[in-house]
Amino acid sequence: MPASHEVSSTMFHFTALPPLSLYVHFPWCVRKCPYCDFNSHALRPGTGQAARGEVPEAQYIEALLADLEADLPRVWGRPVRSIFLGGGTPSLFSPEAIEHLLAGVRARVPLVPEAEVTLEANPGTVESERFRGYRAAGVNRLSIGIQSFDPEQLQKLGRIHGRDEALTAAQAARTAGFDNFNLDLMFGLPQQTLDEALADVRTALALQPAHLSVYQLTLEPNTLFHAQPPELPDDDAIAVMQEALQTELTDAGFVQYEVSAYAHAGRRCRHNLNYWQFGDYLGIGAGAHAKITDAEGVTRLWKVKQPRAYLETAGTPAGLGGVQRPGRDDVAFEFMLNALRLTEGVPALLFSERTGLDPSCMQKPLTQATARGLLDPGHEHFRPTPLGRRFLNELVALFLPEPAR
Ligand SMILES: C[S@@+](CC[C@H](N)C(=O)[O-])C[C@H]1O[C@@H](n2cnc3c(N)ncnc32)[C@H](O)[C@@H]1O
Ligand code: SF4
């Protein structure tokens, strides 16, 4: 970074600005899953039929580009290193719409030539022709939401797809030329046994993904599962499951580089790594969040959440849902909250580079975490121990700003 980019304020001192990514949110799904608290809205509540025609495609893409245009003064000239088209269900949008969007993005921000461009796709909304179209539009990584291959589980999870569509989606990705694809799985599902969880992972491995995200099902407030909880495996069973899945994946040559993320060499998700390493990101789309660093510190901002309101206001001041400038303590905590999710942690130097703060402000919790065996000794690198990874919530809580502890 040239010296002209050296920025500082009385509170923060930055030697370089963090790498910049772009997140694009697509807020519609065919149907709302009972466990999901993402900003996703059912196109046809109560039906499982694909409803592509009903997405206000052209209008939404124009709104996204107006939104991006309005954000530009916050990031003038900074290169964008990755794009993540997430949802919701982005694969409800046609390849032509995605092409128009990505062309519009490229016309507005400098996208690095090797940028990772991921699109989230749901089985039941895709086939290889559609994947080919996304590829031609500039998408070079797919993330497919499988959740499980078990027909009964898929039904309990309210998914619009069955086992066959899950298998077909992964095969279609490969046929369309995507060797860099991720599969999302969940475990700890209603009444799931260890053997069933292992069967899901083995089926996923047979599809030869470059990356697997394996999430423990959580009951999120404001979801149907929270209001009417299904019977889930108990904590001990979950712990056994988690360990067995980790062993299965490691034996298959995957490296667990984050709590839920496993990858082959060179296939870590660069976009998500940028979040965990406290990089910057623009967020466009209904309810999308952004984090931007400048001389004054970190700014967090988010867009209005309701798709209808977003369509009407994107790119205008009314399209902004809120802006927040976290103080030093919050910035330090947010850095640790993200960085400690990584198996390898991060160098201490990254703390000062990304937060603009001196690592000495962390001395007390660092010492406590080490004394409790949750963090590796030697504070030139912040790396959780195996115990720290197992009790990540306790480890992270040590870094909470004082009054909140
Ligand atoms: C942003 S969601 C959307 C992906 C895509 N729409 C789909 O459902 O196939 C990304 C992933 O988060 C995971 N997820 C969503 N809700 C979850 C929950 N309550 N507990 C654990 N994982 C969850 C699922 O694996 C999902 O594929
Ligand atoms: S399809 Fe994905 S984003 Fe949509 S409701 Fe289900 S889990 Fe949430």
Side-chain angles (χ1 to χ4, degrees), residues 61-86:
I61 300 294
E62 289 317 317
L64 288 172
L65 293 175
D67 190 354
L68 177 61
E69 191 98 22
D71 275 350
L72 289 182
R74 300 180 188 277
V75 295
W76 280 135
R78 292 174 62 183
V80 170
R81 295 166 193 280
S82 65
I83 302 180
F84 197 99
L85 310 176

Side-chain angles (χ1 to χ4, degrees), residues 342-355:
L342 294 167
T343 311
E344 282 307 313
V346 291
L349 276 177
L350 199 74
F351 177 83
S352 10
E353 195 180 306
R354 297 288 155 89
T355 64

Side-chain angles (χ1 to χ4, degrees), residues 29 31-33 35-36 40 87-89 122 159:
C29 294
R31 192 162 71 188
K32 183 78 184 175
C33 303
Y35 56 86
C36 176
S40 57
T89 306
N122 286 36
R159 301 292 293 180

